[in-house]
Amino acid sequence: MRISMIGTGYVGLVSGVGFAKHGHDVTCVDIDEDIVDSINNAIPPIYEEGLEDLLEKVVDSGKLSATTDLQNAVDKTDITFICVGTPSREDGSIDTSAIESAAEDISKALDEKNEYHIVVVKSTVTPGTTDSLVKNILESNCKKVGEDFGLGMNPEFLREGVALNDFLAPDRIVIGGWDEKTREEIEKIYESFEAPKLVTDIRTAEMIKYASNSLLATKISFANETSRICEKVGIDVYEVMDGVGLDHRVKRDFLNAGPGFGGSCFPKDVRAIRSIAQEKGVETEILDSVISVNEEQPLHTADILENELGELKGKRIAFLGLAFKGGTDDIRNTRALPMVEKLLDKGAEVVGYDPEAMENFAELIEGDMEFAESVEDALDGSDACIIQNDWSEFEELDDKDFSEMENKVLLDGRRMLDREELGENITYLTVGM
Ligand SMILES: NC(=O)c1ccc[n+]([C@@H]2O[C@H](COP(=O)([O-])OP(=O)(O)OC[C@H]3O[C@@H](n4cnc5c(N)ncnc54)[C@H](O)[C@@H]3O)[C@@H](O)[C@H]2O)c1
């Protein structure tokens, strides 16, 4: 099928490239000309494993191209996915301005088009956004849903860092549609994907995304709160969660204690669904706690180091991992920010390193910190080291890598390394033990 993707960030570009791999003809649309040029030159504007190779293939074969011309893209395709950002507003609700602007442009394009077209929201939006706000804007010219165009909601569950793999091999595909015709057309796009498909109405599809992310965030905050109890009573929370996770009703995933969850999705999605609940007069005691545990956790993690080192003033801390997780350059809501801010506030000298996210983090941090060219440079002469995210590069570190540290204190925030293998010369600290 001929598909247009409106907004080509993590979701739009990765899905677009994935659809092209499955044989569809994809036109990517973005308002940012640099992004469009970069895609047309087969250079991914974001870092994702495997994206560079696949983008080159689909651009070279003519299966995917990019443009800023939305009208033309809608005109020459059969189905349009809206993949623009939905960031948090101050009050936690989602900022729908990019969705509204995209829908206005699509509405104008639909007016100029004679053939039936389908518009699908892939961005994460709160229940009611697609079949009220988006629908009303799309109908603001003279076309009507169900007659002239179809309307659908197809939430995306990919994880940054492994986004392409997640898109190509998803756990499930959720297809919400205004009517049968729309649902069938969206199902056709995913025909060659081997994954369970759940077909629902639009609002259910919207809610599935929020309920999923809220439950995953809840597991993480639960593991973090449990880790604080374990720290006090001298029990290893990872071993506890190994035992808990063997229960097939629970599963081990997302039960790792650490600096908390960050990124562009979990924090914003939990706050967004809480804001809808508040609007409807529903109390959200679980979600409130999930958020407050997560706000405290990076500060608590930094405290673990302070408890060991004593005074932080003048201490040189190698801070490994600035992105919100390994495998990405995304620093949105990264737990590195409150941690680094706290260390700087206490007078520590912080030298940061991340394989992909240093440029982005340098723009985010207001305090004075250094950046190192490599793990080795960051560790050289430092009094302590914190591993904040789970880049595979950090997993490969051994005792020799820490040999040039002034004091060999390591806080392994993601439990990447093995205490026994590191040996007794390194003071090995973790979250939850
Ligand atoms: N990033 C993730 O891991 C992830 C996973 C699942 C769902 N989501 C959801 O998907 C949506 C997109 O997230 P993202 O991380 O890809 O966002 P992003 O910020 O990386 O990308 C959004 C893109 O949309 C473009 N854009 C904005 N307004 C536009 C317009 N009117 N017309 C055309 N392009 C426009 C921007 O220039 C940008 O390139 C969000 O709702 C997010 O919650 C994200």
Short mmCIF file of all heavy atoms in Angstrom, two decimals, residues 316-360:
data_model
loop_
_atom_site.label_atom_id
_atom_site.label_comp_id
_atom_site.label_asym_id
_atom_site.label_seq_id
_atom_site.Cartn_x
_atom_site.Cartn_y
_atom_site.Cartn_z
N ARG A 316 35.81 14.04 42.33
CA ARG A 316 35.63 13.91 40.88
C ARG A 316 34.83 12.63 40.58
O ARG A 316 35.26 11.53 40.93
CB ARG A 316 37.01 13.86 40.22
CG ARG A 316 36.99 13.96 38.73
CD ARG A 316 38.41 14.11 38.19
NE ARG A 316 38.45 13.97 36.75
CZ ARG A 316 38.14 14.95 35.90
NH1 ARG A 316 37.79 16.12 36.35
NH2 ARG A 316 38.19 14.74 34.59
N ILE A 317 33.65 12.82 39.95
CA ILE A 317 32.77 11.66 39.71
C ILE A 317 32.68 11.40 38.20
O ILE A 317 32.26 12.28 37.43
CB ILE A 317 31.33 11.93 40.21
CG1 ILE A 317 31.30 12.61 41.59
CG2 ILE A 317 30.49 10.66 40.16
CD1 ILE A 317 31.48 11.73 42.75
N ALA A 318 33.05 10.20 37.80
CA ALA A 318 32.85 9.79 36.40
C ALA A 318 31.40 9.33 36.26
O ALA A 318 30.97 8.41 36.96
CB ALA A 318 33.80 8.65 36.06
N PHE A 319 30.66 9.99 35.38
CA PHE A 319 29.23 9.67 35.25
C PHE A 319 29.01 9.00 33.89
O PHE A 319 29.02 9.65 32.84
CB PHE A 319 28.43 10.98 35.36
CG PHE A 319 26.98 10.74 35.68
CD1 PHE A 319 26.49 10.87 36.98
CD2 PHE A 319 26.09 10.34 34.69
CE1 PHE A 319 25.16 10.63 37.28
CE2 PHE A 319 24.75 10.10 34.97
CZ PHE A 319 24.29 10.24 36.27
N LEU A 320 28.81 7.70 33.90
CA LEU A 320 28.67 6.94 32.65
C LEU A 320 27.19 6.72 32.32
O LEU A 320 26.45 6.14 33.11
CB LEU A 320 29.37 5.59 32.76
CG LEU A 320 30.84 5.60 33.19
CD1 LEU A 320 31.42 4.20 33.15
CD2 LEU A 320 31.67 6.54 32.32
N GLY A 321 26.79 7.22 31.15
CA GLY A 321 25.40 7.02 30.74
C GLY A 321 24.55 8.25 30.98
O GLY A 321 24.12 8.51 32.09
N LEU A 322 24.32 9.02 29.92
CA LEU A 322 23.57 10.28 30.06
C LEU A 322 22.17 10.18 29.44
O LEU A 322 21.24 10.84 29.88
CB LEU A 322 24.35 11.44 29.42
CG LEU A 322 25.73 11.66 30.05
CD1 LEU A 322 26.58 12.59 29.19
CD2 LEU A 322 25.61 12.20 31.47
N ALA A 323 22.05 9.33 28.41
CA ALA A 323 20.72 9.10 27.80
C ALA A 323 19.83 8.41 28.83
O ALA A 323 20.32 7.83 29.80
CB ALA A 323 20.86 8.23 26.56
N PHE A 324 18.52 8.41 28.61
CA PHE A 324 17.63 7.83 29.62
C PHE A 324 17.79 6.31 29.71
O PHE A 324 17.43 5.69 30.70
CB PHE A 324 16.18 8.24 29.37
CG PHE A 324 15.42 7.43 28.35
CD1 PHE A 324 14.64 6.34 28.74
CD2 PHE A 324 15.48 7.73 26.99
CE1 PHE A 324 13.94 5.59 27.81
CE2 PHE A 324 14.79 6.99 26.06
CZ PHE A 324 14.01 5.91 26.47
N LYS A 325 18.36 5.72 28.64
CA LYS A 325 18.68 4.29 28.67
C LYS A 325 19.79 4.06 27.65
O LYS A 325 20.13 4.98 26.87
CB LYS A 325 17.46 3.44 28.34
CG LYS A 325 16.94 3.66 26.93
CD LYS A 325 15.58 3.07 26.72
CE LYS A 325 15.63 1.63 26.32
NZ LYS A 325 14.36 1.14 25.77
N GLY A 326 20.36 2.87 27.64
CA GLY A 326 21.38 2.56 26.65
C GLY A 326 20.78 2.40 25.26
O GLY A 326 19.57 2.20 25.12
N GLY A 327 21.62 2.54 24.22
CA GLY A 327 21.16 2.28 22.86
C GLY A 327 20.46 3.44 22.20
O GLY A 327 19.91 3.29 21.10
N THR A 328 20.42 4.60 22.85
CA THR A 328 19.73 5.75 22.27
C THR A 328 20.49 7.03 22.59
O THR A 328 21.31 7.06 23.51
CB THR A 328 18.27 5.84 22.79
OG1 THR A 328 17.63 6.99 22.21
CG2 THR A 328 18.21 5.99 24.30
N ASP A 329 20.19 8.07 21.81
CA ASP A 329 20.77 9.40 22.12
C ASP A 329 19.71 10.29 22.78
O ASP A 329 19.88 11.49 22.92
CB ASP A 329 21.31 10.07 20.84
CG ASP A 329 20.24 10.25 19.78
OD1 ASP A 329 19.09 9.78 19.99
OD2 ASP A 329 20.52 10.87 18.74
N ASP A 330 18.58 9.68 23.16
CA ASP A 330 17.44 10.45 23.68
C ASP A 330 17.67 10.80 25.16
O ASP A 330 17.88 9.92 25.99
CB ASP A 330 16.16 9.61 23.53
CG ASP A 330 14.90 10.45 23.66
OD1 ASP A 330 14.97 11.57 24.20
OD2 ASP A 330 13.84 9.98 23.20
N ILE A 331 17.60 12.09 25.47
CA ILE A 331 17.85 12.50 26.86
C ILE A 331 16.56 13.04 27.51
O ILE A 331 16.60 13.60 28.61
CB ILE A 331 18.97 13.57 26.93
CG1 ILE A 331 18.86 14.64 25.84
CG2 ILE A 331 20.34 12.95 26.77
CD1 ILE A 331 18.05 15.78 26.13
N ARG A 332 15.42 12.82 26.84
CA ARG A 332 14.16 13.32 27.41
C ARG A 332 13.87 12.61 28.74
O ARG A 332 13.87 11.39 28.80
CB ARG A 332 13.01 13.12 26.42
CG ARG A 332 13.12 14.07 25.22
CD ARG A 332 12.00 13.86 24.21
NE ARG A 332 12.19 12.68 23.39
CZ ARG A 332 11.41 12.36 22.36
NH1 ARG A 332 10.39 13.13 22.04
NH2 ARG A 332 11.64 11.28 21.65
N ASN A 333 13.68 13.41 29.78
CA ASN A 333 13.41 12.87 31.13
C ASN A 333 14.47 11.90 31.63
O ASN A 333 14.15 10.99 32.41
CB ASN A 333 12.04 12.17 31.17
CG ASN A 333 10.95 13.15 31.49
OD1 ASN A 333 11.01 13.85 32.50
ND2 ASN A 333 9.96 13.22 30.62
N THR A 334 15.69 12.05 31.17
CA THR A 334 16.73 11.13 31.64
C THR A 334 16.95 11.31 33.14
O THR A 334 16.96 12.44 33.64
CB THR A 334 18.06 11.32 30.87
OG1 THR A 334 19.06 10.51 31.50
CG2 THR A 334 18.54 12.77 30.87
N ARG A 335 17.14 10.18 33.84
CA ARG A 335 17.40 10.24 35.29
C ARG A 335 18.81 10.79 35.55
O ARG A 335 19.14 11.11 36.69
CB ARG A 335 17.27 8.84 35.92
CG ARG A 335 15.91 8.19 35.73
CD ARG A 335 14.81 8.84 36.50
NE ARG A 335 14.19 9.96 35.81
CZ ARG A 335 13.32 10.78 36.36
NH1 ARG A 335 12.96 10.62 37.60
NH2 ARG A 335 12.80 11.77 35.68
N ALA A 336 19.62 10.89 34.47
CA ALA A 336 20.96 11.47 34.65
C ALA A 336 20.85 12.94 35.06
O ALA A 336 21.70 13.43 35.81
CB ALA A 336 21.75 11.37 33.34
N LEU A 337 19.81 13.62 34.63
CA LEU A 337 19.72 15.07 34.90
C LEU A 337 19.59 15.37 36.40
O LEU A 337 20.45 16.07 36.94
CB LEU A 337 18.58 15.70 34.09
CG LEU A 337 18.50 17.23 34.24
CD1 LEU A 337 19.71 17.92 33.64
CD2 LEU A 337 17.23 17.78 33.58
N PRO A 338 18.56 14.83 37.10
CA PRO A 338 18.52 15.13 38.54
C PRO A 338 19.73 14.61 39.29
O PRO A 338 20.15 15.21 40.28
CB PRO A 338 17.23 14.43 39.02
CG PRO A 338 16.83 13.50 37.92
CD PRO A 338 17.40 14.03 36.66
N MET A 339 20.32 13.51 38.83
CA MET A 339 21.49 12.96 39.53
C MET A 339 22.69 13.89 39.37
O MET A 339 23.36 14.24 40.35
CB MET A 339 21.82 11.56 39.00
CG MET A 339 20.81 10.51 39.41
SD MET A 339 21.10 8.92 38.63
CE MET A 339 22.47 8.30 39.60
N VAL A 340 22.97 14.29 38.13
CA VAL A 340 24.12 15.18 37.89
C VAL A 340 23.89 16.51 38.60
O VAL A 340 24.80 17.05 39.24
CB VAL A 340 24.35 15.39 36.37
CG1 VAL A 340 25.37 16.50 36.12
CG2 VAL A 340 24.81 14.11 35.71
N GLU A 341 22.65 17.03 38.53
CA GLU A 341 22.36 18.31 39.21
C GLU A 341 22.64 18.21 40.71
O GLU A 341 23.21 19.11 41.30
CB GLU A 341 20.91 18.71 38.97
CG GLU A 341 20.70 19.32 37.60
CD GLU A 341 19.23 19.62 37.29
OE1 GLU A 341 18.34 19.10 37.99
OE2 GLU A 341 18.99 20.34 36.32
N LYS A 342 22.24 17.08 41.29
CA LYS A 342 22.45 16.92 42.73
C LYS A 342 23.95 16.87 43.06
O LYS A 342 24.41 17.49 44.02
CB LYS A 342 21.75 15.64 43.21
CG LYS A 342 21.96 15.39 44.69
CD LYS A 342 20.98 14.40 45.25
CE LYS A 342 21.24 14.21 46.74
NZ LYS A 342 20.22 13.43 47.41
N LEU A 343 24.70 16.13 42.24
CA LEU A 343 26.15 16.01 42.49
C LEU A 343 26.82 17.38 42.35
O LEU A 343 27.67 17.76 43.16
CB LEU A 343 26.78 15.01 41.51
CG LEU A 343 26.28 13.56 41.61
CD1 LEU A 343 26.83 12.72 40.46
CD2 LEU A 343 26.66 12.95 42.95
N LEU A 344 26.41 18.15 41.32
CA LEU A 344 27.00 19.48 41.12
C LEU A 344 26.63 20.41 42.28
O LEU A 344 27.47 21.17 42.78
CB LEU A 344 26.53 20.09 39.79
CG LEU A 344 27.03 19.41 38.50
CD1 LEU A 344 26.38 20.04 37.27
CD2 LEU A 344 28.55 19.47 38.38
N ASP A 345 25.37 20.31 42.72
CA ASP A 345 24.91 21.13 43.87
C ASP A 345 25.75 20.88 45.11
O ASP A 345 25.98 21.77 45.92
CB ASP A 345 23.46 20.77 44.24
CG ASP A 345 22.48 21.56 43.42
OD1 ASP A 345 22.93 22.40 42.63
OD2 ASP A 345 21.25 21.31 43.58
N LYS A 346 26.17 19.62 45.25
CA LYS A 346 26.95 19.25 46.45
C LYS A 346 28.43 19.58 46.27
O LYS A 346 29.26 19.20 47.08
CB LYS A 346 26.80 17.75 46.71
CG LYS A 346 25.38 17.34 47.01
CD LYS A 346 25.21 17.04 48.46
CE LYS A 346 23.75 16.81 48.81
NZ LYS A 346 23.54 16.41 50.17
N GLY A 347 28.76 20.20 45.11
CA GLY A 347 30.15 20.64 44.90
C GLY A 347 31.06 19.61 44.26
O GLY A 347 32.28 19.80 44.22
N ALA A 348 30.48 18.50 43.74
CA ALA A 348 31.32 17.50 43.07
C ALA A 348 31.70 17.99 41.67
O ALA A 348 30.99 18.81 41.08
CB ALA A 348 30.57 16.18 42.96
N GLU A 349 32.84 17.49 41.16
CA GLU A 349 33.19 17.73 39.75
C GLU A 349 32.67 16.53 38.98
O GLU A 349 33.03 15.40 39.34
CB GLU A 349 34.71 17.74 39.56
CG GLU A 349 35.42 18.93 40.11
CD GLU A 349 36.93 18.69 40.07
OE1 GLU A 349 37.42 17.93 39.20
OE2 GLU A 349 37.61 19.24 40.94
N VAL A 350 31.84 16.78 37.98
CA VAL A 350 31.26 15.64 37.25
C VAL A 350 31.83 15.59 35.84
O VAL A 350 31.83 16.59 35.12
CB VAL A 350 29.71 15.75 37.20
CG1 VAL A 350 29.12 14.56 36.45
CG2 VAL A 350 29.13 15.83 38.61
N VAL A 351 32.32 14.41 35.46
CA VAL A 351 32.78 14.23 34.09
C VAL A 351 31.92 13.13 33.46
O VAL A 351 31.90 12.00 33.91
CB VAL A 351 34.30 13.96 34.00
CG1 VAL A 351 34.73 12.87 34.95
CG2 VAL A 351 34.73 13.64 32.59
N GLY A 352 31.16 13.54 32.44
CA GLY A 352 30.17 12.64 31.86
C GLY A 352 30.67 11.95 30.60
O GLY A 352 31.51 12.48 29.88
N TYR A 353 30.13 10.76 30.37
CA TYR A 353 30.41 10.07 29.11
C TYR A 353 29.18 9.27 28.69
O TYR A 353 28.51 8.64 29.53
CB TYR A 353 31.62 9.11 29.25
CG TYR A 353 31.75 8.24 28.02
CD1 TYR A 353 32.26 8.77 26.83
CD2 TYR A 353 31.28 6.93 28.01
CE1 TYR A 353 32.32 8.00 25.68
CE2 TYR A 353 31.34 6.16 26.86
CZ TYR A 353 31.86 6.71 25.70
OH TYR A 353 31.90 5.96 24.55
N ASP A 354 28.87 9.33 27.41
CA ASP A 354 27.80 8.49 26.83
C ASP A 354 28.18 8.28 25.37
O ASP A 354 28.60 9.23 24.71
CB ASP A 354 26.44 9.20 26.94
CG ASP A 354 25.27 8.31 26.54
OD1 ASP A 354 25.13 8.01 25.33
OD2 ASP A 354 24.50 7.91 27.43
N PRO A 355 28.03 7.07 24.84
CA PRO A 355 28.44 6.84 23.44
C PRO A 355 27.68 7.72 22.44
O PRO A 355 28.22 8.05 21.40
CB PRO A 355 28.11 5.37 23.20
CG PRO A 355 28.04 4.75 24.55
CD PRO A 355 27.58 5.83 25.50
N GLU A 356 26.44 8.09 22.72
CA GLU A 356 25.65 8.83 21.71
C GLU A 356 25.01 10.12 22.22
O GLU A 356 24.59 10.95 21.41
CB GLU A 356 24.52 7.94 21.17
CG GLU A 356 24.98 6.73 20.37
CD GLU A 356 25.60 7.10 19.02
OE1 GLU A 356 25.32 8.19 18.50
OE2 GLU A 356 26.39 6.27 18.52
N ALA A 357 24.88 10.29 23.53
CA ALA A 357 23.98 11.36 24.01
C ALA A 357 24.69 12.60 24.59
O ALA A 357 24.05 13.45 25.18
CB ALA A 357 23.03 10.77 25.06
N MET A 358 26.01 12.70 24.41
CA MET A 358 26.71 13.81 25.09
C MET A 358 26.31 15.18 24.56
O MET A 358 26.12 16.12 25.31
CB MET A 358 28.22 13.60 25.00
CG MET A 358 28.65 12.47 25.92
SD MET A 358 30.37 12.47 26.30
CE MET A 358 31.05 11.84 24.80
N GLU A 359 26.19 15.28 23.23
CA GLU A 359 25.80 16.57 22.64
C GLU A 359 24.43 17.02 23.17
O GLU A 359 24.25 18.16 23.58
CB GLU A 359 25.71 16.42 21.13
CG GLU A 359 26.65 17.34 20.37
CD GLU A 359 26.55 17.03 18.90
OE1 GLU A 359 25.59 17.50 18.27
OE2 GLU A 359 27.43 16.30 18.39
N ASN A 360 23.49 16.09 23.15
CA ASN A 360 22.14 16.42 23.62
C ASN A 360 22.16 16.79 25.10
O ASN A 360 21.50 17.74 25.52
CB ASN A 360 21.19 15.21 23.43
CG ASN A 360 20.90 14.97 21.97
OD1 ASN A 360 21.14 15.83 21.14
ND2 ASN A 360 20.38 13.80 21.65
#
